[in-house]
Amino acid sequence: MERTLSIIKPDAVSKGVMGKIIDRFEREGLKIVAMKMVKLTKEEAKAFYSVHRDKPFFDSLTDFMSSGPVVVMVLEGEKAIERNREIMGATNPKDAAPGTLRHQFATDVEKNAVHGSDAPETAQREIAFFFSEQELVRLT
Ligand code: DAT
Ligand code: MG
């Protein structure tokens, strides 16, 4: 079993599609083992996305990520990291395959509806960024 961090970004929350996104994860068989709604500060957004600190889009990205509430979730399942990335689709919705969340719900490469961890080490760091071990429910 593997765990990954998912975020429903401010654009998707304000469009009113968080239920549709959660529904998709449930239908795909990914189990939600933690979930909360938070509004990140600019500093928290910068810390979360610190790997991108030297990218030209860093300031705009962290403004956007702190612009409104987000839903953060821990998804659990076999190959959860890779499966979530498949369900999300490519970073740029122009490249995202039909049926993916970003194809369905993203506005542009920045306002792209969802975040998903990209590797086991990243998932561990990102889950710990938002949740303590006690906040992750045990399914068995
Ligand atoms: P992903 O979210 O698919 O893992 P990433 O880690 O490369 O993509 O980038 C993190 C976020 O930064 C991405 O979801 C949206 C934003 N971003 C990436 N490339 C961008 C670009 N060229 N212009 C504006 N924002 C970008
Ligand atoms: Mg990434």
Side-chain angles (χ1 to χ4, degrees):
M1 278 297 160
E2 192 172 67
R3 286 169 173 172
T4 191
L5 186 84
S6 168
I7 305 179
I8 303 176
K9 295 187 179 184
D11 59 320
V13 173
S14 71
K15 275 183 198 170
V17 296
M18 64 182 169
K20 288 194 168 77
I21 293 171
I22 292 166
D23 177 60
R24 178 69 185 275
F25 293 137
E26 290 188 321
R27 285 188 290 112
E28 294 281 352
L30 287 167
K31 302 294 184 189
I32 299 168
V33 297
M35 175 159 68
K36 63 185 167 190
M37 196 171 209
V38 293
K39 186 169 185 293
L40 298 176
T41 64
K42 172 81 172 174
E43 287 312 307
E44 287 166 340
K46 284 166 72 177
F48 182 77
Y49 275 118
S50 60
V51 291
H52 294 305
R53 76 177 83 79
D54 297 326
K55 304 273 172 62
F57 56 80
F58 184 66
D59 192 51
S60 175
L61 171 66
T62 53
D63 274 349
F64 164 60
M65 288 301 290
S66 57
S67 68
V70 298
V71 177
V72 288
M73 286 172 285
V74 178
L75 306 178
E76 186 177 285
E78 260 175 54
K79 298 196 171 173
I81 296 169
E82 187 186 320
R83 283 176 56 213
N84 181 38
R85 298 284 309 190
E86 282 167 12
I87 294 164
M88 287 164 54
T91 306
N92 190 333
K94 286 181 183 147
D95 305 324
T100 62
L101 291 173
R102 282 167 165 170
H103 185 268
Q104 278 181 287
F105 300 122
T107 302
D108 57 39
V109 66
E110 179 178 271
K111 295 176 178 57
N112 62 4
V114 281
H115 167 85
S117 308
D118 61 6
E121 312 74 55
T122 335
Q124 203 175 22
R125 172 191 174 269
E126 292 180 351
I127 290 168
F129 188 92
F130 287 106
F131 297 100
S132 68
E133 198 55 43
Q134 293 93 315
E135 288 177 295
L136 307 176
V137 300
R138 268 169 235 235
L139 295 177
T140 50

